[in-house]
Amino acid sequence: MACLESEATVLRYFLPAMVTGLLATPEYMSAGLSGSPGDKSVTLARKLERQAVLYDTTKSLTFLLTEEAVRRPLLHRAGMAVQVDRLISLSHPPNVRIGLLPTSSVTCRGPMNMFTVYDHRLTTVETFTGRIVFQDSRDIAEHLRVFDTYEHLALFGDVARNLLTHWALRFRS
């Protein structure tokens, strides 16, 4: 993943089920790894190192998250509030766009799979057991079309930050 992220200049992440490690707090990442076998410290360290890509202004990163992905409680309430605060913070750099798809959004198809499109050359789809890599231009075009459809429905900027602030307050109450 880090190699793909370092080579690409335009990255698009579709996140229907949970927050990606790039946007996650260490505590959230640890909770997400809780079902994984073996020593998780190396995996956690690698995930944290990958977050450097967020600060590379030569890259454009767009993250589309469903309300379910943001609000599914992997942690205690205070930890979830901190995770949502992190999303708010990361929505400010000019090269990072965080879009939200509230459950009230009307969509023509349900958000099914977590996927990432790297430029226009490769798409990865995450499953429970690993990743599927698509290099065929037709598969990449279809994932870009799906991404564009959801991107047009997503909330960005101050509207998204206000919604995230509301969700963080609900975790704190």
Side-chain angles (χ1 to χ4, degrees), residues 146-158:
V146 169
F147 191 90
D148 288 345
T149 298
Y150 284 110
E151 186 174 21
H152 283 86
L153 298 170
L155 307 174
F156 288 93
D158 287 338

Side-chain angles (χ1 to χ4, degrees), residues 85-102:
D85 289 342
R86 176 157 171 78
L87 295 175
I88 295 167
S89 174
L90 290 173
S91 72
H92 288 282
N95 65 314
V96 177
R97 294 177 67 229
I98 295 179
L100 302 178
L101 295 158

